[in-house]
Amino acid sequence: MQIPTNSIGVINKVFPYKIVIEIPDTTKINYNFRGDLYVCDGINTFITIYKSFNHKFIYQISSLYEIEKPYDLQDDESKFTNKAFFDAIPVGEIQNGKFQYGVSKFPMIGEEVYLTSIDDLNNILLMENQTWYLTLGTLTTHESFIPKFSIDTLLTTHICILGNTGSGKSTTVRKLLNEIVVSAKREDIEINDANFIVFDVHEEYDSLPEDITNTVCVSDEISIPLETLTLEDWINLVQPSSQVQLPVLMNGLRFAYLLDNNGQSISDWMKVFCALELYNNQQTDTLPKRTKIVTLLENIEDNDIQYSLTQYNSKFGNFPDEEEEKKFKENLKQYIKEKSGYDYEDCKYYITELLQEVQCSTSSLLNLQQGIELTLLLEESKGNHQVRSHCQTLMTRIYNLIATYSKSLLETNEEKIKKFNEILEFKKAFTKFNVSGLEDNDLLFFTGYLLRTIYQKQRESRENNKLSKLYHFIFDEAHKYITEESEIKSIKIFEQVAKEGRKFGLFMILASQRPGELSKTVLSQCNNFILHRIRNNVDLEQIRKSIPYLSNEQLIRISYLRTGSALLVGEAFPIPMEIIIHGEEYGNPSRTTLPSEVWKRKS
């Protein structure tokens, strides 16, 4: 090995986290060595300190500055001159031709510093002997270098792509997906064996090849079978408060399940039971009580009950005598016994046992509405007069759910359900769900539902030793729905997949402009980060906490990255590196519409 003869300076100070290099002459830091031109481009330039022929330290310049120093240190009256200094942060070591990230030893004061050689850059950036790789762009400091990243390493971890609007985040995602296609063609690999599931929030991923992409408009083309929804799905759909509304929703779903399987009969005898409970337990407000009881019983097909209602005085809210009142109660008890098989006195315990045995599931939105109504009636019959007012927002969301999705995403349409099931076979490399028509809460529901469905399928396959597929989920604008868990949202499935999904072949690629709003649990499980420009202090602080091996200099640098530039850190990248993403051919970057383009001049 031949050491270059053109040292750019000597080490002046050594710290665990950086070195300070004194530069004697800034006009001589660029040089030609063995026919290659070495140029120091300042910040981010790689430098080398030769400990021995087989041992080198690799650092990266992080700052440049000048300090005044006297010509003659022995003479206090001597003139001063400016000296240039470079700060550099440690990158790694090369020992016996092999690069390792991080340093175990440190250089000494007075050792000479050189620009890193072309061969060493190739070694560090895995430019040689790299197969089954993809590329994203060029190094900002070495435009001739296009780093290669192992697909096996990159796509077997969770990835987070972060950046403010207009910083190039979407371009990076498009570049990544299209480069996978390019790499598959180069290696003669069947790309349709891949399963990339893209949730396209802003319709930005039209560049994916049509022949290997299945595009689905969620709002119009498919329906989800209601009976496959879990309690977590219903929570995300209905958004109940935890104290009152969640128990009502759960029992409403249980009653809906009973209605699915037993028809209207359970609803009828339950109404009769609630009417009798109201009559026996509510001692005041006789006229409102009568109105409520008559409303419950007026559609019950039983002649004896309907006759008794005619004797129930509408003016005074009572019966003409004790005999008629007794007959009224007996008629209700007899109906309950005939329809439920249980005596009235035992029904309270029977209902409790019945609800404990059934699932929180239904195949009908209307049955869910009726099930919640039965739940509220049961609570009111116990004397809980405030429960209905506490659940007004819950009922409003149920009505809205029926109005919004009973003819679209949750429609009981066999053809649309069949199409949805066919999509779940994932026969093409990319499945792009157009979710631009969904609100944030519905995004959470749909993405969570699909993630859980495939997660359960992969778990079963692994248990049967038949795990033969990998799935990669691209969550665009992830901060909208994969947020810190609150009392009305459930992101358990995202956190579960973040922690356990890799062993079941599930991987997540999160794209977000607000890392501070993302679930900290999900973010902490990401092993690779592509960081575009971010300026919000809350987001930067979250990045600091989530990526402990990111230096302060690199964190500050993120705020000043140009559009299209990104800092890459993580297991798939040999070192933290700043690159310029080359993905313009796959779509235009996001931009704000300008007033000068829209406002018209007066004619």
Side-chain angles (χ1 to χ4, degrees), residues 251-252 255-256 259 366-376:
N251 280 338
F255 274 125
L259 290 168
L366 294 178
N367 280 350
L368 172 60
Q369 180 182 342
Q370 192 172 355
I372 290 180
E373 179 63 28
L374 289 175
T375 303
L376 296 176

Side-chain angles (χ1 to χ4, degrees), residues 6 53 84 89 107 109 122 185 258 288 320 341 344 384 413 556 575:
N6 297 69
F53 286 108
I89 56 176
I109 292 175
N122 277 318
K185 290 180 179 179
L258 293 172
Y344 160 71
N384 187 354
N413 181 302
I556 294 171
I575 59 171

Side-chain angles (χ1 to χ4, degrees), residues 420-434:
F420 178 67
N421 290 328
E422 290 174 351
I423 290 169
L424 293 186
E425 296 178 6
F426 299 108
K427 294 181 179 179
K428 293 188 177 182
F430 299 98
T431 301
K432 185 182 69 173
F433 289 102
N434 183 342

